[in-house]
Amino acid sequence: EDEQIVAEIMKRRFFPAFITHKTWEGFHFAGHEIRITEATDCYGAVVWPSALVLCYFLETNSKQYNLVDKNVIEIGAGTGLVSIVASLLGALVTATDLPELLGNLQHNVLHNTKLKSKHQPCVKELSWGIDLEKNFPKSSCHFDYVMAADVVYHHPFLDELLLTFDHLCKNDTVILWAMKFRLEKENQFVDRFQTLFDLEMISNFPSLNIALYKAMRKGRMKA
């Protein structure tokens, strides 16, 4: 079953028939053809399999996780694929990443959602753990969903990442997080994450070494 679903997920990706001056990949999600411009010199400007897993889940579970008119923020949005799919599914999306990635992120989001989405997505800078209250004040920012795909890997900002999750989540915020398991140090982040949040694995793909989690603040998952 794992391999069958993974094959279905990967079939959503296509490549240009001819070599062009721009590096891009194509994807079929939410009834649309999505073209993503990439840059191979930066981790954040490449579409990783975890993003495809999360997009596939959003599309195939759109009744249970109805995104229409929901406030969604994606952290570490990278190329913007997850934010684009969430927007095409009706969400009011804020796509965030580091300053150096915003140009490509803005291009992809605008190109793939203009005149196609109910709400025009917003692209905004978010450096994990920095100026969170200034840029996302708790008094005025309420997100129904926080989405993240492959944000845990070999980088020195895991403390800041946990702080960012904590800041963005209210009691009723749902986190949808796709994670590829790599090294033990990064995998330990899951244990630390669970000091603040209840965590439920909702999909698992051993052939990709990727798990998809749902999380909420402790004590709120069944409330």
Side-chain angles (χ1 to χ4, degrees):
E1 183 180 0
D2 165 48
E3 293 181 356
Q4 182 179 351
I5 297 176
V6 167
E8 171 61 30
I9 293 172
M10 294 306 166
K11 282 197 301 185
R12 302 302 185 93
R13 167 184 263 158
F14 67 93
F15 299 93
F18 302 98
I19 296 176
T20 64
H21 68 285
K22 282 189 176 181
T23 302
W24 64 270
E25 288 186 71
F27 303 87
H28 292 289
F29 286 110
H32 292 272
E33 178 182 296
I34 301 168
R35 291 193 177 193
I36 296 293
T37 301
E38 298 183 318
T40 56
D41 59 344
C42 179
Y43 285 134
V46 176
V47 177
W48 299 99
S50 293
L52 273 68
V53 166
L54 183 48
C55 289
Y56 181 82
F57 177 84
L58 294 177
E59 181 188 75
T60 55
N61 293 272
S62 59
K63 290 185 178 180
Q64 183 178 359
Y65 294 87
N66 185 355
L67 298 184
V68 176
D69 298 330
K70 297 295 193 300
N71 282 315
V72 171
I73 186 168
E74 184 187 6
I75 62 174
T79 61
L81 181 61
V82 172
S83 288
I84 291 165
V85 172
S87 180
L88 294 173
L89 290 170
L92 205 165
V93 176
T94 301
T96 70
D97 215 312
L98 297 170
E100 58 267 28
L101 297 173
L102 295 188
N104 188 59
L105 176 58
Q106 177 71 61
H107 167 79
N108 285 329
V109 167
L110 182 63
H111 177 75
N112 289 287
T113 61
K114 189 175 182 180
L115 303 179
K116 300 176 184 177
S117 297
K118 183 176 182 181
H119 306 284
Q120 186 59 44
C122 169
V123 173
K124 191 171 181 178
E125 177 185 343
L126 173 52
S127 299
W128 297 337
I130 298 176
D131 293 332
L132 293 174
E133 181 59 28
K134 176 183 176 182
N135 297 323
F136 300 90
K138 287 191 173 185
S139 61
S140 58
C141 288
H142 181 281
F143 297 106
D144 299 295
Y145 291 93
V146 174
M147 296 188 183
D150 224 358
V151 294
V152 178
Y153 53 91
H154 185 59
H155 62 71
F157 305 109
L158 294 177
D159 290 340
E160 290 82 357
L161 175 59
L162 186 58
L163 182 65
T164 301
F165 273 123
D166 185 37
H167 181 84
L168 295 174
C169 289
K170 296 283 199 297
N171 284 339
D172 58 348
T173 301
V174 175
I175 298 171
L176 294 176
W177 167 29
M179 176 178 173
K180 182 176 179 67
F181 287 86
R182 294 183 175 91
L183 304 175
E184 184 59 29
K185 179 182 177 181
E186 291 112 54
N187 297 347
Q188 289 173 359
F189 179 84
V190 176
D191 296 329
R192 296 175 56 206
F193 183 87
Q194 289 183 96
T195 64
L196 298 176
F197 299 96
D198 288 325
L199 194 64
E200 176 188 354
M201 183 185 293
I202 51 179
S203 291
N204 187 29
F205 303 96
S207 61
L208 294 174
N209 211 21
I210 291 173
L212 179 61
Y213 293 106
K214 171 186 175 182
M216 295 184 74
R217 285 205 174 278
K218 277 200 164 294
R220 302 296 300 184
M221 188 78 83
K222 296 180 181 180

